[in-house]
Amino acid sequence: MGNLNFSAIDWSEMGDATVATLKMILYSGIFTIILGLPLGIVLYLWGRSNNVVLRVAYSVLSFVVNILRSVPFIILMVALIPVSKAIVGTSIGVLGTIPALVIGAAPFFARLVETALREVDRGVIEAAQGMGASTSQIVRRVLLPEARPGLLAGVTITIVTLVSYTAMSGMVGGGGLGDLAIRYGYYRYEKEVMIISVIVMVILVQLLQMAGDRLVQYFTRK
């Protein structure tokens, strides 16, 4: 530790890497929620259905979700290189990382959504059904509002998970702090860059977790 020289760090490059990481988290987080929320709702509805066809469809969809969740992200990202190229035209950098981040995180978030919806009081749902509410009305006016704290907690967990995913994406040229830490800290033995990258990511995770916890507490009280 005594041989560390932090004055040699290119702070502008560190700043660019931090911004790149934030962009990856923001864009992939938005698309993960857009895809994962309806997927989680479908899992919940099909899993609760008495319809045989929907129950079979739930089993198939649940199996696919479990497979995507079980594949280590670094392997998933390598496997999805052709998909990333087809969707965004590249498999490296911030843009090339986003498809893999979304495909890796959306099934994870969908399971959290399904779990949050299952925790909604069954009596509230039955009361809405007794008043003639349709399935879409129950989802919009009962399930989502009642499950809001759990959903926000799920969003927080997913975003924090995306931070670690962005770090792993650096192994295959994903850009951001993970890429910087690997290129300089690992290949060039510049431990200072790796240390600062880790510190920035730890701070980022703490800030995201604190913000998510505050939102959960706020809506729980409401």
Side-chain angles (χ1 to χ4, degrees), residues 41-120:
I41 293 171
V42 167
L43 283 169
Y44 170 82
L45 294 175
W46 289 1
R48 292 270 180 170
S49 176
N50 294 320
N51 186 297
V52 176
V53 175
L54 292 182
R55 292 290 296 180
V56 172
Y58 170 80
S59 298
V60 173
L61 184 59
S62 180
F63 179 70
V64 173
V65 167
N66 287 340
I67 288 177
L68 291 174
R69 285 181 58 205
S70 62
V71 178
F73 178 72
I74 188 66
I75 296 175
L76 182 67
M77 188 169 182
V78 172
L80 291 174
I81 286 176
V83 177
S84 297
K85 286 183 177 179
I87 295 175
V88 297
T90 182
S91 62
I92 60 173
V94 173
L95 194 61
T97 307
I98 291 173
L101 288 172
V102 174
I103 293 172
F108 174 75
F109 179 59
R111 280 299 188 198
L112 296 178
V113 171
E114 182 188 11
T115 301
L117 295 179
R118 282 180 175 177
E119 292 176 356
V120 175

Side-chain angles (χ1 to χ4, degrees), residues 16-200:
D16 291 341
T18 303
V19 171
T21 294
L22 291 172
K23 284 182 179 178
M24 284 191 283
I25 295 169
L26 175 62
Y27 297 145
S28 62
I30 290 172
F31 285 112
T32 294
I33 293 169
I34 290 173
L35 292 176
L37 181 60
L39 180 59
I41 293 171
V42 167
L43 283 169
Y44 170 82
L45 294 175
W46 289 1
R48 292 270 180 170
S49 176
N50 294 320
N51 186 297
V52 176
V53 175
L54 292 182
R55 292 290 296 180
V56 172
Y58 170 80
S59 298
V60 173
L61 184 59
S62 180
F63 179 70
V64 173
V65 167
N66 287 340
I67 288 177
L68 291 174
R69 285 181 58 205
S70 62
V71 178
F73 178 72
I74 188 66
I75 296 175
L76 182 67
M77 188 169 182
V78 172
L80 291 174
I81 286 176
V83 177
S84 297
K85 286 183 177 179
I87 295 175
V88 297
T90 182
S91 62
I92 60 173
V94 173
L95 194 61
T97 307
I98 291 173
L101 288 172
V102 174
I103 293 172
F108 174 75
F109 179 59
R111 280 299 188 198
L112 296 178
V113 171
E114 182 188 11
T115 301
L117 295 179
R118 282 180 175 177
E119 292 176 356
V120 175
D121 188 351
R122 190 69 183 171
V124 178
I125 300 171
E126 291 173 352
Q129 290 173 331
M131 291 186 287
S134 65
T135 300
S136 62
Q137 288 174 328
I138 291 174
V139 170
R140 287 185 289 108
R141 299 179 182 178
V142 179
L143 284 172
L144 294 180
E146 290 290 324
R148 189 179 296 161
L151 292 174
L152 288 172
V155 170
T156 303
I157 294 169
T158 303
I159 296 299
V160 169
T161 301
L162 281 171
V163 175
S164 65
Y165 282 1
T166 62
M168 284 186 277
S169 72
M171 290 293 294
V172 287
L177 290 167
D179 178 60
L180 197 68
I182 291 166
R183 281 193 295 114
Y184 288 90
Y186 181 72
Y187 290 118
R188 302 184 188 179
Y189 302 102
E190 296 181 18
K191 292 180 289 186
E192 300 89 349
V193 175
M194 182 175 288
I195 291 170
I196 296 299
S197 298
V198 170
I199 290 173
V200 172

